[in-house]
Amino acid sequence: MRATIIHAPGDIRVESAPEPKIMAPTDAVIRTVAACVCGSDLWSYRGVLPVTEPQPIGHEYVGVVEEVGSDVSGVEPGQFVIGSFVASDNTCPICQAGYHTSCQHAQWVTGCQAEYVRIPLADGTLVATSEQPAEELIPDLLALSDVMGTGWYAAKAAEVKPGSTAVVVGDGAVGLSGVIAAKELGAERIIAMSRHESRQKLALEFGATDIVTERGEEGIARVKELTKGVGADSVLECVGTQQSMQQALQSTRPGGNVGFVGMPHDVQIDGLQLFFSHVGLRGGPAPVRAYLPDLIDRVFSGRINPGKVFDLTLSLDEVAEGYKAMDERRAIKALLRP
């Protein structure tokens, strides 16, 4: 099969690789219908995360089940499925508490920018749709495998409530999905922080009520101005830098909450500052599996259209251009069709 391999920073290739096989009775193999490039993939592409040897890459996928192990009973060949980037059993106490990415038997799923993918713990990880989706729904469903679920977790962790004011720090696919989530959870005012016109337009389409173009101290001051000096009830931090975290913490009112889902890089938090701020802080890898049934229903009913974050569609053979376009911010998110 064809699969995407990262050899070194900036070096993405499509190569021939062995087709995945059932290795454990709880495995499934799926034929990939669509995959994509994630903002977190760019950390390796840019050399922020080390790449010491060639390795498969990609963790977002939708597809059709080709084969299942002998212990798999929840999905069957021919079904269209969506899964998380972390395989989970969906039965352990941590999963039952809603934190599937910290499952006691968790396994990271990778190598999904390929024609076929092996999914461990298939019964706990994969969710089948009730029918084969229409072609136009594929991007929306693909978004659920990571960015929409991650944006949803950011909003839940920030405790977005009906009638509240939410701020979204970050205008990538996760941040834009966070705008959708804040709207769905009932936020009355949604302030999106963005400097890019195309992303601002999409944020407004998704439900943002205000756009803040300033960053750093100026961005914090602008949020305070918009909230009459109080700060936001909920802030979704969707970037993962020192500046974005400080912007999130200082834009939140005392007693408010920050949900952080941007993978942190060199982020330092002042304990004394956090102590006196009375701001709650919760985050981590999003437990996407917990939200999949609900989000699938919202896509099929037409309530949400997160697939609009895909503004570049390429064949798998063109994956290197997808990475380059996202790295240069010419694209929000690249969708790949094997």
Side-chain angles (χ1 to χ4, degrees):
M1 70 170 183
R2 293 171 298 140
T4 302
I5 308 293
I6 183 167
H7 283 254
D11 187 357
I12 294 285
R13 309 178 197 176
V14 175
E15 299 179 346
S16 179
E19 287 190 13
K21 304 294 183 185
I22 299 294
M23 297 175 61
T26 51
D27 288 350
V29 172
I30 67 167
R31 173 178 56 82
T32 309
V33 172
C36 52
V37 181
C38 183
S40 62
D41 294 331
L42 296 181
W43 294 116
S44 299
Y45 183 77
R46 292 166 174 162
V48 177
L49 295 178
V51 181
T52 57
E53 60 184 17
Q55 54 191 277
I57 194 168
H59 56 264
E60 299 163 281
Y61 57 94
V62 293
V64 174
V65 177
E66 289 280 303
E67 184 182 3
V68 298
S70 58
D71 288 351
V72 175
S73 59
V75 295
E76 59 187 35
Q79 287 185 309
F80 187 94
V81 292
I82 307 158
S84 168
F85 52 87
V86 172
S88 57
D89 59 22
N90 199 32
T91 59
C92 81
I94 307 301
C95 287
Q96 291 301 297
Y99 285 84
H100 296 66
T101 36
S102 288
C103 173
Q104 290 177 307
H105 304 101
Q107 298 181 49
W108 290 87
V109 178
T110 190
C112 299
Q113 293 164 10
E115 291 183 286
Y116 295 90
V117 186
R118 181 181 72 89
I119 307 297
L121 303 174
D123 274 346
T125 305
L126 298 173
V127 178
T129 57
S130 59
E131 59 191 69
Q132 292 292 327
E135 181 66 26
E136 59 267 22
L137 290 183
I138 299 297
D140 295 313
L141 295 170
L142 176 61
L144 305 187
S145 71
D146 185 351
V147 291
M148 186 63 238
T150 297
W152 195 268
Y153 175 56
K156 296 287 283 187
E159 298 189 15
V160 174
K161 293 180 172 62
S164 64
T165 294
V167 169
V168 179
V169 180
D171 63 359
V174 171
L176 291 166
S177 298
V179 172
I180 295 175
K183 178 72 171 178
E184 287 292 293
L185 292 173
E188 184 174 304
R189 191 172 196 182
I190 303 171
I191 302 168
M193 307 193 85
S194 172
R195 289 181 167 180
H196 300 84
E197 185 177 354
S198 61
R199 301 175 188 223
Q200 293 169 3
K201 288 181 179 178
L202 195 50
L204 292 169
E205 182 179 343
F206 283 162
T209 56
D210 302 88
I211 300 292
V212 168
T213 59
E214 296 87 350
R215 289 183 181 175
E217 294 297 327
E218 292 182 352
I220 295 163
R222 181 63 179 140
V223 170
K224 290 291 183 69
E225 180 184 349
L226 289 171
T227 56
K228 299 181 180 179
V230 175
D233 303 303
S234 303
V235 178
L236 289 62
E237 193 285 307
C238 304
V239 182
T241 65
Q242 181 68 36
Q243 184 186 64
S244 63
M245 181 61 83
Q246 282 302 311
Q247 192 162 282
L249 289 169
Q250 294 181 50
S251 295
T252 311
R253 65 164 173 81
N257 295 278
V258 172
F260 70 103
V261 295
M263 185 180 292
H265 290 275
D266 299 321
V267 173
Q268 301 288 327
I269 297 173
D270 186 315
L272 200 60
Q273 175 193 355
L274 185 63
F275 181 78
F276 282 106
S277 71
H278 273 139
V279 169
L281 183 62
R282 181 186 295 278
V288 168
R289 174 61 183 85
Y291 310 130
L292 278 176
D294 178 35
L295 294 178
I296 290 170
D297 286 345
R298 290 174 193 258
V299 164
F300 271 92
S301 69
R303 281 183 61 94
I304 62 173
N305 301 105
K308 290 182 179 180
V309 299
F310 294 107
D311 54 350
L312 178 63
T313 298
L314 301 167
S315 71
L316 181 62
D317 291 331
E318 300 172 296
V319 63
E321 169 57 22
Y323 276 81
K324 187 176 181 182
M326 287 178 61
D327 181 47
E328 296 173 353
R329 295 183 73 83
R330 291 185 283 111
I332 300 172
K333 193 166 179 68
L335 185 148
L336 305 171
R337 300 302 295 252

